[in-house]
Amino acid sequence: MNATITLLPGDGIGPEIVAEARRVLEAVAKRHEHTFTFHEGLIGGCAIDAHETALPEETLGLCLSADAVLLGAVGGPRWSDPKAAVRPEQGLLALRKAMGVFANLRPVQVLDALVDASPLRPERVRGVDILIVRELTGGLYFGQPQGPEVIDGRRAAVDTLRYKEDEIRRVVQLAFDLARTRRKKLTSVDKANVLASSRLWREITHEIAAGYPDVECEDILVDACAMFLINRPADFDVIVTENMFGDILSDEASMITGSLGMLPSASLGLPGMPGLYEPIHGSAPDIAGQGIANPLATLLSSAMLLRSSLGLKKEAAHLEAAVNRVLGRGARTADIARSGEPVIGTRQMGQCVIDALSEV
Ligand code: IPM
Ligand code: MG
């Protein structure tokens, strides 16, 4: 097949990890006789530096016309002045909105080879396999009004949490469909004891549940969910929740695995539209440019890209198997190594995966 993939390396470690993803995707294409054409665009801090906007028109055009988009990370201390007129994160939010990617899929799996990397006890984390489905284009991130205000001569600020029923329905429905392909359990997370938007979320979830009698569905309040993720993570299958809760819970869940550097994500919109794939970790400015960042979350995001946007299931499984094989043999970047274990860098890890691809 011929596919066009837009790469958005972004800031910090973004360029290093996306470079490895490109090499690995090229190896997959060669091996399976596909042709991938890559375009690169600026987003985030580097785009602010070059064009004074976090999402240049040209970048958006490259994303909307591609089959899929792979992003590294945006942001860093250089652009984090709270008084700055434009922030790198605005580029990412505008891109999600413009691409219409309303469902953010964040799988959290504890691989047997990495059980020891978790800060939780091995018996608690072994076999954890959670899929967090986070609503991505609504809620507090986008509600209007938003911004600073002056009330009675004093500084104030407002954010708005609003959900419309269609926004809830499409993401919850997708989560039910995904649960059906897995262990058939769906946990919907809300704060229905306090928030009106959560009560609507719950009402709609129950309406949809009626059409999925084969899927076990439960509601959990977000504070309780934060607790259960630590003391019984293996009980969860698919978790669906609104934008802000999903942001927070997915970072928490990532720590079950012990490394943020391992977790991929896919953001999907309507069928036929390009998906946006990114590691869930940030730009890690403290280690940027040193060649030590873990590229595996980006490689696993590339596997999700192959599967969900290009329909290349066999190729995706091949890449995931290569990553598992490399980990099984003990290859470790610094973030997933135990003390005393030898560590390799970003490029070497990418090369190990490329080598493993050619083994089977
Ligand atoms: C994430 C990030 C983003 C978010 C930031 C960078 C805007 O934390 O993808 O989880 O909050 O969505
Ligand atoms: Mg986040």
Side-chain angles (χ1 to χ4, degrees):
M1 88 176 300
N2 292 317
T4 305
I5 299 171
T6 293
L7 303 174
L8 305 178
D11 306 318
I13 58 170
E16 299 158 54
I17 54 180
V18 170
E20 289 318 302
R22 179 178 183 150
R23 292 200 316 128
V24 168
L25 283 167
E26 277 166 350
V28 170
K30 190 162 176 219
R31 171 64 190 274
H32 295 270
E33 298 180 1
H34 301 301
T35 306
F36 296 160
T37 305
F38 295 96
H39 297 293
E40 282 202 17
L42 295 175
I43 190 168
C46 59
I48 294 175
D49 289 348
H51 301 292
E52 284 163 19
T53 163
L55 179 64
E57 278 298 321
E58 191 194 337
T59 299
L60 181 57
L62 286 173
C63 294
L64 294 174
S65 63
D67 294 302
V69 180
L70 181 68
L71 180 134
V74 295
R78 246 177 80 198
W79 307 281
S80 64
D81 177 358
K83 295 218 159 67
V86 271
R87 283 171 290 109
E89 291 77 10
Q90 288 169 336
L92 180 56
L93 299 189
L95 180 65
R96 289 171 176 170
K97 194 75 172 174
M99 291 180 70
V101 286
F102 60 83
N104 180 215
L105 278 48
R106 298 188 160 183
V108 179
Q109 280 172 349
V110 175
L111 305 174
D112 280 340
L114 290 181
V115 163
D116 292 324
S118 173
L120 301 183
R121 287 201 296 273
E123 66 271 21
R124 215 162 255 200
V125 300
R126 190 161 292 156
V128 164
D129 180 5
I130 306 172
L131 177 62
I132 298 183
V133 180
R134 168 189 176 195
E135 200 290 323
L136 201 61
T137 51
L140 272 175
Y141 277 61
F142 295 95
Q144 292 296 333
Q146 180 184 65
E149 305 180 318
V150 177
I151 298 178
D152 298 334
R154 291 173 176 276
R155 285 170 298 169
V158 61
D159 294 284
T160 301
L161 175 48
R162 174 182 293 108
Y163 268 106
K164 298 186 193 157
E165 63 176 308
D166 301 352
E167 290 175 303
I168 301 171
R169 191 173 293 114
R170 62 188 182 182
V171 68
V172 172
Q173 192 128 25
L174 178 72
F176 269 103
D177 287 335
L178 290 165
R180 228 174 213 174
T181 68
R182 297 168 45 101
R183 301 194 307 279
K184 298 193 169 49
K185 180 169 174 195
L186 182 75
T187 303
S188 174
V189 177
D190 61 38
K191 187 71 185 173
N193 54 348
V194 178
L195 301 175
S197 58
S198 279
R199 287 191 286 277
L200 178 64
W201 184 283
R202 201 176 269 213
E203 188 179 316
I204 295 198
T205 299
H206 290 184
E207 287 166 18
I208 298 170
Y212 292 82
D214 52 322
V215 177
E216 180 195 339
C217 176
E218 65 176 357
D219 308 295
I220 300 193
L221 296 173
V222 62
D223 47 352
C225 184
M227 186 170 70
F228 296 145
L229 274 172
I230 301 299
N231 72 3
R232 51 175 182 84
D235 284 359
F236 291 101
D237 179 13
V238 178
I239 293 177
V240 65
T241 190
E242 63 93 45
N243 203 345
M244 177 68 116
F245 296 159
D247 178 45
I248 297 168
L249 292 178
S250 60
D251 266 29
E252 185 194 1
S254 75
M255 272 299 115
I256 299 169
T257 70
S259 176
L260 204 53
M262 289 297 303
L263 298 191
S265 82
S267 302
L268 307 176
L270 294 174
M273 293 291 288
L276 171 64
Y277 300 81
E278 46 176 320
I280 88 157
H281 61 69
S283 61
D286 51 323
I287 58 163
Q290 297 177 28
I292 60 172
N294 184 349
L296 293 178
T298 316
L299 300 188
L300 292 169
S301 300
S302 307
M304 294 183 89
L305 179 158
L306 292 169
R307 182 179 291 112
S308 298
S309 281
L310 308 187
L312 299 176
K313 296 198 179 89
K314 185 177 62 181
E315 292 79 349
H318 187 194
L319 174 49
E320 285 161 352
V323 168
N324 282 329
R325 198 160 333 116
V326 162
L327 287 169
R329 284 188 196 134
R332 299 284 185 270
T333 42
D335 58 312
I336 49 175
R338 277 178 300 176
S339 67
E341 266 181 341
V343 301
I344 60 176
T346 313
R347 179 140 186 124
Q348 287 163 294
M349 185 59 104
Q351 191 58 47
C352 287
V353 173
I354 291 172
D355 293 344
L357 278 170
S358 61
E359 283 166 22
V360 282

